[in-house]
């Protein structure tokens, strides 16, 4: 297999919040892996920035510990780690104060790509943008990476967009949604637009329905207070599930170019119907002998926030008229699974007779675990005894099909950070896309609030509330089992 990785120019990457949880678990280990893979240019530098009093040596120790904890052993080579750590620096800085900014300005090299990763609380994004500008640290080759959540509703998202726009142009702003960095998500585009096989069938005439599931097995314990102010709709549907929906439903862009792709995604969001209460199920996990309820985790005995949501959506356009999209996501479910299922219609006429059963093709695009795709096709059950039909997988996990090289697919963060340096915004959300997603979300949440809608309870470790299964049963359909 010929690797065609696009080389990266030298850069200075500043990680604001460089001592935080996300930096420790994802960003810094991801950068090390890119370095170890030979994808980082000789003179790239990474600068951690936070209020804590570290010097370069102490920060390098912090990063070494993060690599030890979060990088697989097979990738931890002593020499690579030492060489990587030499590229690291630290500046003690306060996003809200003046301390540290002069030192940071002095550290930055002229004429080199500058990337600023805002891995801090969203309330600090505006302060950072302003001070980067004030201290003349941001130049035309600068870009900022903004973490989620991007706003709490349309109003706050608009305000944040306006604040960032004061100091940065849209082509300098990278709003991250790590789901877009997943190998299979990009493969969804390759599958749809790089083959003749699927696209002619990818519409209401041949697709019965589409399911998008993002199930998590953990509860909200530990960050219940934060979560209770958002819930599954704001935390997962407005961003991650919406992005998966867009990539599944969008029209072919004229080229694989950031704005062409994002224009098509935006059209999908704008064509989404607002589902009524009968098309939505909201749930909260209940207490068991050994584990607390959602309300206990959230430390809010009267909480009306959902830790689970399932919904049926329609897209009002020619391609999808009559094909429902079922979305579900929740905490404390049976297993941690993210997948998109495209369920095709049954053949129009059964030549093998009723007794052979009914069969429909299904394409499953798995984001986690075991990234890959699985196409169920109908075949004859092997052996004598007449014509019996069964569903069998035409299975393709990347590791099986493409060998070890493919099982080493970079983590979403690794890929996305390198895309920032390359200046490729295709896998990042544009400001108008985020606003459109909030414009769709806001009235749904407002309706719950107006009716004081109470989520139903569900059993931890289950597939969610019974009502979610009924939502599908009423339409004569079933959710795919949540299983690893
Ligand atoms: P965190 O663990 O609380 O870390 C926050 C970081 O910001 C620390 O390095 C902290 O260091 C620094 N900081 C706080 N106040 C500061 C200030 N005034 N000036 C400069 N630095 C300051 O948070 P996190 O979990 O890493 O999350 C960071 C961002 O990523 C948030 O926007 C979050 O929503 C998003 N995110 C996180 C995850 C995740 O898995 N953790 C996932 C998705 C999105 P000091 O206190 O020393 O300044």
């Amino acid at each position: 297999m010929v690797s065609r990785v696009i080389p990266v120019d030298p850069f200075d990457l500043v990680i604001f919040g460089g001592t935080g949880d996300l930096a420790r678990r994802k960003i810094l280990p991801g950068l090390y892996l890119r370095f170890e893979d030979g994808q980082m240019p000789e003179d790239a530098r990474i600068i951690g920035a936070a209020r804590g009093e570290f010097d370069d040596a102490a920060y390098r120790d912090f990063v070494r510990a993060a690599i030890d904890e979060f990088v697989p052993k097979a990738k931890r080579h002593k020499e690579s780690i030492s060489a990587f750590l030499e590229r690291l620096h630290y500046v003690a800085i306060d996003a809200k104060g003046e301390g540290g900014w002069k030192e940071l300005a002095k550290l930055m090299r002229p004429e080199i790509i500058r990337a600023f990763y805002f891995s801090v609380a969203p309330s600090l994004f505006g302060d950072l943008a302003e001070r980067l500008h004030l201290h003349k640290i941001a130049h035309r080759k600068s870009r900022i990476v903004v973490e989620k959540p991007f706003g709490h509703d349309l109003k706050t998202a608009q305000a944040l967009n306006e604040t960032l726009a004061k100091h940065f142009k849209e082509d300098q702003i990278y709003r991250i949604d790590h789901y877009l960095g997943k190998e299979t998500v990009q493969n969804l585009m390759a599958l749809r637009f790089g083959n003749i096989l699927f696209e002619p069938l990818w519409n209401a005439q041949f697709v019965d329905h589409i399911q998008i599931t993002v199930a998590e097995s953990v509860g909200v314990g530990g960050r219940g207070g934060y979560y209770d102010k958002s819930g599954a709709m704001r935390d997962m549907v407005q961003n991650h599930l919406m992005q998966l929906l867009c990539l599944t439903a969008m029209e072919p862009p004229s080229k694989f170019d950031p704005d062409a792709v994002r224009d098509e995604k935006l059209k999908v969001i704008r064509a989404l119907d607002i589902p009524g209460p009968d098309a939505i199920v909201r749930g909260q996990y209940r207490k068991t002998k050994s584990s607390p309820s959602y309300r206990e985790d959230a430390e809010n005995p009267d909480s009306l926030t959902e830790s689970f949501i399932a919904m049926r959506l329609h897209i009002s356009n020619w391609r999808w008229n009559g094909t429902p999209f079922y979305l579900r996501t929740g905490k404390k479910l049976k297993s941690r699974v993210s997948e998109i299922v495209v369920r095709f219609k049954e053949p129009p006429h059964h030549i093998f007779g009723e007794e052979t059963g009914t069969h429909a093709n299904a394409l499953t695009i798995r984001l986690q675990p075991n990234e890959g795709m699985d196409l169920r096709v109908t075949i004859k059950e092997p052996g004598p005894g007449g014509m019996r039909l069964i569903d069998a997988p035409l299975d393709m996990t990347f590791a099986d099909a493409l060998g070890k090289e493919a099982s080493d697919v970079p983590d979403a963060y690794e890929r996305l950070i390198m895309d920032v340096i390359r200046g490729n915004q295709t896998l990042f959300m544009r400001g108008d896309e985020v606003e459109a997603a909030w414009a769709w979300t806001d009235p749904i949440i407002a309706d719950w609030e107006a009716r004081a809608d109470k989520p139903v309870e569900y059993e931890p470790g289950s597939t969610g509330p019974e009502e979610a299964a009924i939502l599908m049963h009423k339409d004569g359909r079933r959710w795919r089992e949540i299983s690893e």
Side-chain angles (χ1 to χ4, degrees):
M1 198 162 54
V2 185
S3 169
R4 286 194 297 149
V5 176
I6 304 164
V8 175
D9 289 334
F11 61 85
D12 283 341
L13 166 64
V14 180
I15 309 172
F16 291 109
T19 56
D21 177 64
L22 185 68
R24 202 171 69 82
R25 284 192 307 111
K26 292 286 181 187
I27 305 172
L28 290 159
L31 286 164
Y32 165 72
L33 285 168
R34 292 287 82 199
F35 174 82
E36 200 265 344
D37 204 28
Q39 303 299 325
M40 206 177 275
E42 254 320 294
D43 39 7
R45 277 191 332 188
I46 298 156
I47 300 155
R51 289 168 307 176
E53 287 300 331
F54 288 78
D55 56 16
D56 285 355
Y59 190 57
R60 287 172 186 173
D61 287 343
F62 168 85
V63 178
R64 186 192 293 277
I67 292 172
D68 281 346
E69 193 173 347
F70 296 106
V71 169
K73 198 161 181 228
K75 298 270 181 181
R76 293 198 308 255
H77 306 299
K78 222 170 157 190
E79 281 125 48
S80 300
I81 296 177
S82 300
F84 174 71
L85 293 178
E86 275 174 32
R87 283 146 194 266
L88 291 170
H89 301 273
Y90 182 82
V91 179
I93 215 162
D94 186 353
K96 283 183 162 307
E98 295 318 314
W101 289 96
K102 285 205 179 86
E103 290 73 10
L104 180 64
K106 242 187 262 162
L107 252 185
M108 307 299 289
R109 296 169 294 175
E111 295 307 316
I112 269 189
I113 292 173
R114 294 178 181 177
F116 303 99
Y117 199 127
F118 291 6
S119 183
V120 294
S123 57
L124 298 176
F125 292 170
D127 294 300
L128 288 177
E130 203 152 317
R131 282 185 173 71
L132 283 171
H133 176 77
L134 204 70
H135 293 273
K136 301 191 171 52
I137 298 174
H139 59 17
R140 189 66 190 105
K141 278 193 182 173
S142 297
R143 41 211 78 161
I144 56 172
V145 184
V146 185
E147 261 299 334
K148 86 165 212 185
F150 198 90
H152 184 72
D153 50 22
L154 177 59
K155 215 168 123 204
T156 47
Q158 280 171 332
L160 188 47
N161 272 336
E162 274 166 30
T163 306
L164 298 180
K166 273 190 213 151
H167 307 298
F168 294 93
K169 296 200 167 17
E170 182 61 35
D171 67 6
Q172 296 180 292
I173 304 171
Y174 290 70
R175 296 173 194 79
I176 209 159
D177 183 328
H178 68 276
Y179 272 64
L180 292 180
K182 299 227 175 241
E183 187 73 9
T184 11
V185 168
Q186 291 161 77
N187 241 310
L188 172 60
M189 286 191 273
L191 183 89
R192 285 192 60 193
F193 307 130
N195 295 288
I196 191 70
L197 211 56
F198 295 101
E199 202 48 28
L201 304 178
W202 209 266
N203 55 52
Q205 193 185 346
F206 296 104
V207 176
D208 178 72
H209 72 276
I210 287 172
Q211 301 183 14
I212 301 177
T213 298
V214 177
E216 293 177 279
S217 50
V218 293
V220 302
R223 58 177 205 121
Y226 158 79
Y227 186 90
D228 202 47
K229 293 189 191 76
S230 64
M233 184 70 166
R234 286 192 166 99
D235 193 48
M236 299 299 290
V237 176
Q238 185 273 344
N239 40 48
H240 304 317
L241 278 88
M242 179 70 82
Q243 289 297 322
L244 300 182
L245 171 82
C246 286
L247 292 173
T248 310
M250 72 181 184
E251 294 300 315
S254 57
K255 52 187 170 177
F256 192 55
D257 151 290
D259 278 328
V261 171
R262 297 184 300 177
D263 285 347
E264 295 306 335
K265 281 162 54 193
L266 182 60
K267 284 184 210 163
V268 174
I269 304 174
R270 290 189 173 153
L272 262 185
D273 282 358
I274 305 280
D278 59 333
I280 301 177
V281 175
R282 301 168 69 229
Q284 284 178 345
Y285 55 82
R286 68 163 66 100
K287 185 182 176 67
T288 66
K289 272 188 200 139
S290 54
S291 68
S293 67
Y294 170 76
R295 287 179 173 198
E296 284 167 335
D297 272 345
E299 292 174 12
N300 180 0
D302 303 317
S303 171
L304 295 179
T305 304
E306 74 288 351
S307 62
F308 174 96
I309 187 164
M311 54 206 318
R312 179 184 55 231
L313 306 179
H314 286 282
I315 299 174
S316 293
N317 63 18
W318 274 47
R319 183 186 283 264
W320 295 117
N321 183 40
T323 297
F325 284 67
Y326 297 93
L327 271 48
R328 77 181 152 165
T329 181
K331 303 277 180 197
K332 272 221 177 159
L333 297 177
K334 205 171 157 194
S335 7
R336 182 166 174 257
V337 173
S338 300
E339 63 183 23
I340 302 166
V341 181
V342 181
R343 175 88 183 186
F344 292 92
K345 289 186 175 169
E346 287 174 23
H349 171 64
H350 297 281
I351 67 163
F352 301 111
E354 293 293 307
E355 64 281 6
T356 58
T358 53
H359 296 269
N361 300 122
L363 173 71
T364 304
I365 298 135
R366 247 175 297 132
L367 281 74
Q368 66 191 18
N370 313 323
E371 288 198 55
M373 301 194 191
D374 169 298
L375 179 64
R376 310 281 313 180
V377 294
T378 304
I379 59 161
K380 176 189 168 297
E381 188 177 350
M387 194 68 167
R388 292 187 307 274
L389 301 184
I390 55 168
D391 290 335
L394 273 181
D395 196 356
M396 193 194 95
T397 53
F398 298 132
D400 292 348
L402 306 174
K404 187 189 160 299
E405 218 174 306
S407 66
D408 284 346
V409 286
D411 180 74
Y413 277 94
E414 289 177 54
R415 178 194 321 277
L416 292 173
I417 297 171
M418 287 299 129
D419 276 0
V420 173
I421 307 297
R422 288 192 189 97
N424 184 350
Q425 289 185 303
T426 311
L427 300 174
F428 295 83
M429 295 178 294
R430 207 169 53 192
D432 53 359
E433 232 185 299
V434 178
E435 289 185 15
W438 280 121
W440 175 81
T441 310
D442 278 3
I444 302 173
I445 295 178
D447 176 56
W448 301 339
E449 287 173 355
R451 291 186 290 109
D453 186 62
K454 192 168 173 243
V456 294
E457 285 198 327
Y458 63 94
E459 192 63 24
S462 70
T463 56
E466 182 68 5
E467 287 80 350
I470 295 170
L471 178 75
M472 284 284 247
H473 287 171
K474 277 196 295 199
D475 297 347
R477 300 185 173 104
R478 274 192 302 143
W479 291 105
R480 197 176 120 95
E481 184 58 28
I482 293 178
S483 74
E484 285 175 34

